[in-house]
Amino acid sequence: SQQGEEDPQALSIQEGENATMNCSYKTSINNLQWYRQNSGRGLVHLILIRSNEREKHSGRLRVTLDTSKKSSSLLITASRAADTASYFCATPTNMDTGRRALTFGSGTRLQVQP
Amino acid sequence: GAGVSQTPSNKVTEKGKYVELRCDPISGHTALYWYRQSLGQGPEFLIYFQGTGAADDSGLPNDRFFAVRPEGSVSTLKIQRTERGDSAVYLCASSLGRQGYNEQFFGPGTRLTVL
């Protein structure tokens, strides 16, 4: 299975509501990143949280990281129809070998109804 | 350029043919990555370059896949004897390549369809 796994796989909410997505991973990390993808193309980097950080904010985004549980969450507040996209968490593939590749989960497909 | 660019945006080819996919990273980014994404899945790592050399090619599925980056900037992913299972979106990303936190910037991808 993949290093990062998002939950839920799909989420449908009304505009103005908050959306929460979760990610679990398996190995040691020094950072975790969240990406957004529209229509199956072009991932956009949203936010990076370091392993010594517990929470980070960027605009309407709030990311938490719990290294003891190997989990992270992404909260989008006051959602908009334009937030409709797939969201992926990504972690370094192998910290021990220093590999730079990222391992992505299968993503959460968010649908925000206007 | 301002971002990572990839050409072509779409490529349709027949089984058994050879294809080349091009990636132009952000200027100054020494690290370049290729990923492959199938429908409904997250990107899967293929190969990573630091400068001109392939620092990690462990994700290449077999010897039909090869990538080069001769001058440390533009990269080409080459697929020989294409198979229908190679159909996917091929994504390129670049980063500053510094030790530590490798935030990656992705291109729009090339959608490869093998008939």
Side-chain angles (χ1 to χ4, degrees), chain A residues 13-21 34 36 38 46-47 55-64 73-85 87 110-113:
Chain A
I13 60 174
Q14 296 293 318
E15 208 166 26
E17 294 180 339
N18 296 341
T20 300
M21 289 159 269
W34 284 90
R36 166 197 164 119
N38 288 74
L46 293 177
I47 196 165
E55 188 171 310
K56 197 164 183 179
H57 296 256
S58 177
R60 293 184 296 113
L61 305 180
R62 172 177 168 254
V63 168
T64 63
S73 69
L74 171 67
L75 168 67
I76 304 174
T77 61
S79 64
R80 305 167 182 167
D83 294 329
T84 295
Y87 292 82
L110 174 66
Q111 176 79 39
V112 181
Q113 306 287 350

Side-chain angles (χ1 to χ4, degrees), chain A residues 35 37 41 99-102 105, chain B residues 9 35 37 56 58 102 108-109:
Chain A
Y35 288 81
Q37 186 178 40
R41 305 282 288 267
R99 289 174 61 192
R100 295 285 185 86
L102 293 176
Chain B
S9 56
Y35 293 85
Q37 186 176 26
D56 183 354
S58 61
N102 54 335

